[in-house]
């Protein structure tokens, strides 16, 4: 099964700053997905990232706030920009692997 | 878009008993229904899935059933063990987009 590595695993950031989260997969995948999981809540899709094209954002999420890069078929980054305490969440990377949609262990972000 | 409802929100069972979690979905075009287990501090782990051309699927102590007509699907865990304690999420997919239920916190009492 696909193995996903996310960095950092957790961070505490000051409001107004930005954090870039990295997602590395051990195999080539067409689509990579970024989710947000607010404390005690379910998962919400932020955007879908395809290599060589701009990410597709879901309703309520915009590129200026969550810019995404997808330079190749095994790597993607999500940046959380101009952070506020409301951005405190777990951010998860996911891929569509042969065995189904696989998730990374997540990045636990706290904004103070 | 797709709307997935999940019940119950919490479930406490005695070790060895069965646990059942139910989900309903709104869009009849949904064709893929995975279940995830999320332990504290970890990402969701796919435990079983079912596609719309199948009514039931079983993997050891875990089974999933799908009723396309009623647009609901269920997770069944038999002979529960303490390590089954976690948050379980159902999801429904149209194409590549997964829509998740709100989650069920399962506690298995020893």
């Amino acid at each position: 099964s696909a193995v996903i590595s996310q960095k950092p695993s957790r961070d505490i950031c000051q409001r107004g700053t930005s954090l870039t989260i990295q997602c590395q997969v051990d195999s080539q995948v067409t689509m990579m997905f970024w989710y947000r999981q607010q404390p005690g809540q379910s998962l919400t899709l932020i955007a879908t990232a395809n290599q060589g094209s701009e990410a597709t954002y879901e309703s309520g999420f915009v590129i200026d706030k969550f810019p995404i890069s997808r330079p190749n078929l095994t790597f993607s980054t999500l940046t959380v920009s101009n952070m506020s305490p409301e951005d405190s969440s777990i951010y998860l990377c996911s891929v569509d692997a042969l065995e189904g949609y696989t998730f990374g262990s997540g990045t636990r972000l706290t904004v103070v | 878009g797709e709307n997935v409802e999940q019940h119950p929100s919490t479930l406490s069972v005695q070790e060895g008993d069965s646990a059942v979690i139910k989900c309903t979905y709104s869009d009849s075009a949904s064709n893929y229904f995975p279940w995830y287990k999320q332990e504290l501090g970890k990402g969701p782990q796919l435990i079983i899935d079912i596609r719309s051309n199948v009514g039931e699927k079983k993997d050891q102590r875990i089974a999933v059933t799908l009723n396309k007509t009623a647009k609901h699907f269920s997770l069944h865990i038999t002979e529960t063990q303490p390590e089954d304690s976690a948050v379980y999420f159902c999801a429904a997919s149209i194409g590549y987009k997964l829509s998740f239920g709100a989650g069920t916190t399962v506690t298995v009492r020893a």
Side-chain angles (χ1 to χ4, degrees):
Chain A
S1 60
V3 176
I4 301 174
S5 300
Q6 264 189 253
K7 292 181 181 179
S9 59
R10 60 179 66 242
D11 207 341
I12 300 173
C13 299
Q14 296 290 323
R15 65 180 68 198
T17 63
S18 298
L19 176 71
T20 295
I21 302 167
Q22 299 180 3
C23 179
Q24 178 76 52
V25 190
D26 68 345
S27 58
Q28 294 184 340
V29 293
T30 303
M31 289 183 168
M32 296 180 77
F33 307 91
W34 287 99
Y35 285 82
R36 182 176 72 183
Q37 186 175 26
Q38 294 178 301
Q41 302 295 314
S42 186
L43 288 79
T44 301
L45 181 63
I46 297 171
T48 302
N50 290 330
Q51 191 256 345
S53 62
E54 281 199 5
T56 302
Y57 290 83
E58 298 300 306
S59 176
F61 298 97
V62 295
I63 187 171
D64 289 347
K65 176 67 176 177
F66 298 101
I68 288 171
S69 77
R70 181 79 200 274
N72 57 53
L73 292 174
T74 63
F75 187 78
S76 178
T77 67
L78 169 75
T79 298
V80 186
S81 303
N82 188 25
M83 288 183 286
S84 67
E86 292 70 37
D87 294 319
S88 297
S89 293
I90 300 172
Y91 292 87
L92 294 148
C93 172
S94 175
V95 301
D96 182 10
L98 287 175
E99 65 277 11
Y101 294 89
T102 303
F103 285 82
S105 55
T107 296
R108 284 147 189 81
L109 171 63
T110 301
V111 183
V112 297
Chain B
E2 175 65 278
N3 181 47
V4 179
E5 295 190 357
Q6 183 172 346
H7 300 280
S9 58
T10 61
L11 180 60
S12 179
V13 296
Q14 190 70 37
E15 182 178 359
D17 287 351
S18 295
V20 180
I21 304 170
K22 298 182 179 181
C23 289
T24 61
Y25 59 99
S26 60
D27 195 326
S28 56
S30 291
N31 56 9
Y32 176 62
F33 307 90
W35 285 88
Y36 289 88
K37 175 184 180 182
Q38 188 174 29
E39 297 175 306
L40 198 61
K42 298 184 178 180
Q45 177 192 2
L46 178 66
I47 57 172
I48 196 168
D49 58 10
I50 192 168
R51 298 193 180 272
S52 59
N53 59 345
V54 176
E56 183 174 355
K57 183 177 179 181
K58 188 174 182 180
D59 183 4
Q60 298 182 13
R61 297 186 296 109
I62 294 174
V64 57
T65 59
L66 171 65
N67 184 326
K68 287 178 57 181
T69 303
K71 290 189 285 188
H72 68 70
F73 55 113
S74 301
L75 178 72
H76 304 252
I77 306 173
T78 59
E79 301 173 17
T80 53
Q81 302 168 4
E83 51 265 37
D84 294 329
S85 295
V87 180
Y88 291 81
F89 292 98
C90 64
S93 168
I94 301 175
Y96 59 83
K97 290 188 181 183
L98 281 178
S99 297
F100 284 82
T104 297
T105 301
V106 174
T107 302
V108 180
R109 307 187 306 273

